[in-house]
Amino acid sequence: MLRAAFLAGSVLLTGAVTPVEKVVELLDKLQAKVEQEGKEEAAAYDKYACFCKEQVDEKQYTIEKSDKKIEKLSAEIEKLSGEISALDGEIGELAKKITKLEGESKTAQEARDKEHETYLEKEADAASAIDACERAIAALKESKASLKGKAELEGAALAQVRSVARLALASGAALSSDRVRLLSALAQPGAAYEYKYHSN
């Protein structure tokens, strides 16, 4: 201010601008410019500092949130790993059971096949015995007239029929109720002699 007054006084007195006055004027303009730039830079710095603080706060919040998420996911991974181990154990046990059941099934199938073969053999034996009984009854019926009075021959023939009937019953084959009654009657001592022939 004093400098401005000095300049104004110098201009009034001399009526012309001296070099010193020119330098002072330039210094004043430079000071004003520097002060203005300082204010602008301070405002820009404040704005940038505010932006940086917001970014730091946001990044810090994101980091904390991510840390919690990581902790939660780590716990879930640990839990699932335990469940996987348990399920692997169960799968191993089930695989052993399946192998055991397959072996038992194979053994049972072999036993059933063997039983079926035995059944077919017994059924064939029973069918042969029944056929023999039916042929024997037919032969007895045809020769009944000629056998009258010949008790020994007749008794031997009936004993043979009884033996075949017992064999058929003992074979365990699946027989119809009529055939079971017929064979049971033939197998009984004394009853077969009185049995009246019935055709099937």
Side-chain angles (χ1 to χ4, degrees), residues 18-38:
T18 65
V20 174
E21 291 172 348
K22 189 68 174 173
V23 170
V24 170
E25 183 181 354
L26 289 173
L27 287 173
D28 287 339
K29 288 181 180 179
L30 181 61
Q31 181 181 1
K33 184 178 179 182
V34 169
E35 288 176 356
Q36 182 63 31
E37 287 178 353

Side-chain angles (χ1 to χ4, degrees), residues 84-102:
I84 288 169
S85 298
L87 291 173
D88 285 342
E90 290 179 12
I91 289 169
E93 290 297 321
L94 289 174
K96 289 179 183 177
K97 287 182 180 179
I98 289 170
T99 303
K100 181 181 176 184
L101 289 173
E102 285 176 348

